[in-house]
Each structure stands twice: as C-alpha cells, then as structure tokens.
Amino acid sequence: MNDNQLILTLFGATGDLAARKLYPAIYRLYKNNNISDKFAVIGTARREWTNEYFREIVYNSILEEITDEENAKEFVSHFYYQPHDVNDGEHYNKLKELSDTLDKQYNIGGNRIYYISLNPQLFPVITHHLSAQNVLTDNGYNRLIIEKPFGFDEESAIELQQQLTESFDENQIYRIDHYLGKELVSSLDKLRYNNIWSQLWSNEFIDNIQISLAEDMGISERGAYYDNSGVTKDMIQNHMMQILSILAMDNPKNASADGFRQEKINAIKSLRTFENTEDLTANVIRAQYTANTAEGIVGYKEEADIPADSQTETYFAAKFDFEMPRWEGVPFFVRSGKRLEGKYTTIHIVFKKDDPNVENNYLRIEFAPEMRIQFFFNQEKPGHKGGAKSVPMTFKYPTEVESEIPHDYERLINACINNQLDHFVHWYEAQYAWQFMDHIHNYWKQLDGQDMKYYKALSTGPVEADELMKAHHTKWYDCKDC
Ligand code: BG6
C-alpha cells in the first residue's frame, strides 16, 4: 500500500484557512500526481452543508489553479462533507461509518490523516474521541496535523502534549509551522551544509547573524487574538525559533528526521537566558506602533478589540546568544513587527572583516519580497581611483521554475503524507521555545510596561532597535536595496 492513498479528515472545513490554503494545496498535489486516485477528503464543521455545496466551495477555491477542467471535476468528486459537533460522541460514530465506506469505495487500506484547523482548545477533545471511539484504524497509518499555537506558555503546552499523547504518539503528531513549508526555509540546511558555507559556519568567520520578519500589514480583524499573543507568541516563539534553530544547530549525528530535530532542540536549549530585568532591557526591545495619520492608519491601542491600556507588543527586537562553542561571541539579532515600512523576510549572515575600511561581506537569504539568495562581497571599484565596493552575486529561480515551487501548505501536507517529520516541529522544540519565551514574559510582567517603546506605523521600527545594533558596532542589514 502506498502512503499517498489516504482519507484526509479535516476539522474546520468551512474555515478561511481551508479555502485559502488547504484546498488549493491538496489540488496541486493531486494534479501533480503526488496524491493517488485512491483518496478522499472528509470535511467537517458545525454548519449543515451538503456534499454538493462543499464541492462547490472547494471548486471555487481552486479556480486559479485549474489547468484541466475534467481533472478538477474529478478532484472535487473526492470531497465529502459531514456536519460535526466535536463534543458530540455520536458524531464520531458517523464519521467512522463514512470513513469505512469511503475506504472500501476507493480501496484505501486504512491510511488516515486528521487535520485540525480549529481553536487549539478543541485539539484534545477531538483526539480523545478519535481514539476512544475507534475512528483510528489499525491497518494503515494515523497521523495528526495541528496548527499553531501549541499552548500559550510552557505549562499549557505540557498539558496539551499530555492530552494528545494519550491518543497519538509523538511521531504521529505533525505540528505545522508554515515557515517550514517555505522553499528557502526548507532548503536552509542544504545551503548551510554546502561545502563552501559549512566551512565558514562558526565564530571563526561569522561576525553576527540577523533575522528580520517584518510586515507592513496590521492586525486585520484579529484584535482579540493578537492582544493575547503579541508578536512574541505570534511570530517569535514559532517562526523565528524555527529559523534560528536551523541556522544555529550543530551538525546532525545522522541524516534522519530525528537527527535533524535533535540538533534543533539542542540549539533552542542552548539559548542564553537573561539574568535579570537589566540584562533583558539591554538586549530586548518591545514596542507598539502609533498612528500614521497621513496614511490613515490608527495606532495599535486604537485598533478594534484592543484595550486602550494594552501592554501587548507589536514589535520585538533582540540580541540572542547561543551557549555553544560554535557561536561563542556571535550575536544573533532578531526582529519582527507589524505595521513596519514593508514586508521583508530576510536572513543576513554577516562575515568578519580584517580591514576596517571596507564593508563586511554578507550572505542574504531573502524569502520576501523576492525569493533569492545573494552574496555581497567587496570588489575593487572600477576606474583609476580604486577603493572597495560591496557588490552582489545573486541566485534567483527563473519565473517558470518559481511558479512550480510548492506552496507552503502543499509542501507540508505532502511531507506529512510521506512521513517527513523533519518538516514539522517536535514537541521538545515547542517546549523549549516556550520555556525561553516564558522567561522573557516573566520579566516583562515585573517591568509592568515601563520598557515599552513606540514606533510610528509604516516606519522602520523603534529607534532603540537601531541603538541596539550600534551598541554592538553593527547595523541592521535591511532591505532598502532588496
Ligand atoms: C502567521 C501569523 O503565523 O504568520 C501572522 O499569525 C503573520 O500574524 C503570518 O502575518 C506571516 O506569514 P508570512 O508567510 O506571510 O510571512
């Protein structure tokens, strides 16, 4: 039996993520023959939709991807809808009946993926019922995909993990971090282990490393969620930690997913924790955006659903240190925020220099606005005057190749089908990332907002973030020349 024949049961089938990302992703996998004809999708949610209506929704969500009408019609015929109340045990019996019927109809052989795209509070309710009511099969695989957030601090994450592992083993749990589905993130380790860069990947040659996850977008309609999260829970604990750990980890002991994830775990565990509030404020900046009236943008505290005295940070910048021999003395500067001057997602590896009169050589890995990799190096200026100038060597996929690159969710669903756990977050990665963030949050509680800084919406961020760099004799390598 092939792994790519399966029933995918989606909890949250009427949601926004499903229509925007998941159905197009599954369709791309289908049309490129990464899913076999022996597949079915069961969509569940509270609403009383029919199969016909569900198929119409799925069809509309893939319109832009359709290249062959017949193939698209065939694809949507594999979708089935079942109204479902996650708290009602009887509904799981119906789900099992439908799964068994479809399994026979498509000759699937027991493989199941359960994808929960609902409020995380419901994860354990669903997994409990799936196991207790024998929806899980014993003749194929049973895999669970869940969306972030995995808890909201270490304690809640531990509780959630305990609940989930009553029904699923750790190696059946696929925690999504959609950044791991991005082409350049998923190939980051390949780049690092290229024979040229791997030799330079340590404090012997690297001066500092910078990661910027900047967005011009605000909090949209998500005020209630965002005010409980702030950028640290929305972007740093997950996406930033993932990128950081892949950049900082030591060489895996073997080529398996376990070997890779173990080194990421070790790296996250090696982050130096701040000693006290002074140490924290010297290295960590939190800030909120204020209005930009000329652009018609209100400040964070004036946004819908945000309390006027909110102490939630919409911006975070920090200097992190890894207590690893490889990185002794190499600062990792990270920053992320909403309502900044643009959307740019970049990594800069800044190399050491021995001549104070030239720029540092640096490697830029850019996910957005463009997908490309550039190496900036010093080159003699042309002409009689001489002097050095930093010039880029650029790698970028041709447009026709770029358009074929799997989208985030397409890559991740495919990785789940193929049991590639290295594309997903291990429990210990989540746990240690929370442990690290919790200690920052605890200091923030003590500081009671005294350290909050401000920046104008659509600016480059708070001046204090630039001062942090100056204090370490460097600057943000930004995307102005991207
Ligand atoms: C999500 C956050 O996880 O990532 C959003 O919840 C954020 O607030 C988004 O906008 C950014 O993702 P990307 O892929 O656009 O960089």
Side-chain angles (χ1 to χ4, degrees):
M1 187 192 22
N2 291 325
D3 275 9
N4 70 356
Q5 48 193 74
L6 71 147
I7 295 180
L8 189 153
T9 304
L10 176 62
F11 296 89
T14 56
D16 177 55
L17 181 82
R20 261 187 322 113
K21 302 278 187 182
L22 306 184
Y23 303 140
I26 302 169
Y27 179 54
R28 282 171 64 102
L29 289 172
Y30 176 76
K31 91 177 169 175
N32 294 322
N33 298 319
N34 291 312
I35 295 185
S36 90
D37 268 335
K38 296 177 178 176
F39 93 97
V41 174
I42 303 177
T44 80
R46 292 177 80 110
R47 289 184 215 173
E48 296 284 335
W49 284 4
T50 59
N51 284 345
E52 288 63 38
Y53 186 67
F54 182 40
R55 290 173 188 168
E56 210 177 298
I57 297 282
V58 174
Y59 183 85
N60 288 335
S61 75
I62 63 169
L63 275 180
E64 282 178 17
E65 300 284 350
I66 297 177
T67 38
D68 174 343
E69 194 57 39
E70 279 311 301
N71 173 273
K73 286 200 178 123
E74 172 59 32
F75 171 74
V76 296
S77 75
H78 289 251
F79 282 69
Y80 298 81
Y81 186 81
Q82 174 125 333
H84 184 92
D85 173 351
V86 295
N87 292 304
D88 185 339
E90 184 45 37
H91 286 189
Y92 292 86
N93 296 336
K94 288 195 184 140
L95 191 61
K96 180 174 167 55
E97 259 170 52
L98 177 60
S99 307
D100 289 347
T101 309
L102 294 175
D103 195 297
K104 285 201 194 86
Q105 184 179 328
Y106 291 102
N107 190 15
I108 284 172
N111 288 343
R112 301 284 188 274
I113 292 180
Y114 305 94
Y115 193 133
I116 312 183
S117 173
L118 289 173
N119 187 326
Q121 282 173 343
L122 301 173
F123 296 170
V125 177
I126 297 171
T127 53
H128 168 75
H129 280 292
L130 288 175
S131 147
Q133 294 183 238
N134 296 321
V135 183
L136 303 184
T137 57
D138 31 46
N139 56 336
Y141 62 67
N142 290 278
R143 296 177 186 156
L144 174 71
I145 302 186
I146 44 179
E147 288 283 338
K148 74 160 183 132
F150 195 86
F152 47 88
D153 56 16
E154 188 188 6
E155 194 184 332
S156 58
I158 290 176
E159 190 187 341
L160 177 58
Q161 175 71 359
Q162 276 165 354
Q163 291 167 325
L164 297 187
T165 48
E166 281 166 17
S167 313
F168 287 82
D169 292 339
E170 171 59 21
N171 62 9
Q172 295 176 293
I173 303 177
Y174 295 69
R175 291 179 198 78
I176 288 228
D177 183 306
H178 80 273
Y179 268 57
L180 293 181
K182 290 183 189 289
E183 173 68 23
L184 290 186
V185 177
S186 88
S187 58
L188 207 49
D189 58 321
K190 310 287 179 310
L191 175 91
R192 237 198 90 161
Y193 289 109
N194 168 300
N195 200 24
I196 294 182
W197 304 119
S198 65
Q199 319 233 12
L200 305 179
W201 217 258
S202 73
N203 57 1
E204 199 180 337
F205 298 101
I206 294 180
D207 183 86
N208 72 80
I209 291 185
Q210 308 184 5
I211 308 172
S212 302
L213 311 181
E215 299 183 271
D216 46 357
M217 212 174 82
I219 55 170
S220 310
E221 321 283 285
R222 301 196 301 159
Y225 153 79
Y226 197 87
D227 203 56
N228 276 318
S229 300
V231 70
T232 40
K233 296 187 183 184
D234 191 48
M235 300 288 286
I236 306 291
Q237 187 272 346
N238 37 62
H239 310 320
M240 186 66 86
M241 283 292 168
Q242 286 303 314
I243 299 177
L244 260 178
S245 60
I246 300 172
L247 291 174
M249 70 182 190
D250 268 330
N251 303 350
K253 307 267 180 301
N254 57 58
S256 68
D258 274 351
F260 177 71
R261 298 204 296 182
Q262 186 55 53
E263 290 309 327
K264 286 173 69 194
I265 294 165
N266 293 347
I268 298 172
K269 268 165 78 176
S270 309
L271 274 165
R272 181 183 82 87
T273 49
F274 301 103
E275 282 163 20
N276 47 40
T277 48
E278 289 74 43
D279 187 14
L280 180 90
T281 48
N283 290 292
V284 172
I285 286 137
R286 61 167 161 168
Q288 265 180 5
Y289 60 82
T290 56
N292 182 333
T293 29
E295 296 290 340
I297 293 175
V298 297
Y300 178 68
K301 288 195 176 94
E302 290 90 58
E303 298 274 15
D305 301 324
I306 305 300
D309 58 354
S310 169
Q311 289 187 4
T312 300
E313 75 294 345
T314 61
Y315 179 95
F316 179 91
K319 170 185 167 280
F320 289 160
D321 298 292
F322 285 92
E323 292 177 327
M324 297 164 69
R326 175 192 290 273
W327 297 121
E328 213 185 311
V330 180
F332 283 67
F333 296 103
V334 302
R335 59 177 173 168
S336 180
K338 296 276 185 205
R339 285 286 189 231
L340 291 166
E341 60 176 344
K343 166 90 188 166
Y344 48 87
T345 313
T346 56
I347 298 170
H348 288 89
I349 314 288
V350 183
F351 293 98
K352 288 186 169 163
K353 60 180 180 183
D354 44 22
D355 177 351
N357 300 317
V358 299
E359 290 282 316
N360 295 69
N361 296 323
Y362 62 95
L363 179 67
R364 169 187 290 155
I365 303 160
E366 181 185 341
F367 311 96
E370 300 271 352
M371 198 198 309
R372 63 183 165 180
I373 300 171
Q374 294 180 294
F375 178 53
F376 287 79
F377 64 104
N378 288 305
Q379 167 69 349
E380 182 81 3
K381 276 187 193 157
H384 300 295
K385 287 198 178 138
K389 183 180 175 350
S390 179
V391 293
M393 224 159 35
T394 301
F395 165 72
K396 185 166 165 42
Y397 288 110
T399 320
E400 63 280 12
V401 177
E402 202 172 299
S403 64
E404 290 306 312
I405 287 177
H407 298 176
D408 310 350
Y409 279 90
E410 179 188 356
R411 184 190 305 278
L412 294 176
I413 294 171
N414 190 48
C416 176
I417 294 172
N418 292 297
N419 193 22
Q420 294 165 336
L421 279 159
D422 47 335
H423 285 75
F424 299 86
V425 180
H426 190 278
W427 155 237
Y428 288 130
E429 294 174 55
Q431 182 185 8
Y432 292 122
W434 276 127
Q435 213 171 74
F436 182 74
M437 295 317 299
D438 283 357
H439 102 277
I440 295 182
H441 289 136
N442 289 338
Y443 286 135
W444 278 352
K445 264 191 215 126
Q446 289 175 32
L447 287 163
D448 195 23
Q450 294 163 45
D451 60 317
M452 185 66 79
K453 310 289 184 232
Y454 296 91
Y455 61 103
K456 190 173 171 184
L458 306 189
S459 70
T460 54
V463 289
E464 290 81 1
D466 295 331
E467 285 160 10
L468 173 74
M469 303 307 268
K470 273 191 208 131
H472 292 92
H473 313 290
T474 185
K475 59 175 185 186
W476 291 109
Y477 282 76
D478 57 29
C479 238
K480 290 226 174 54
D481 52 342
C482 274

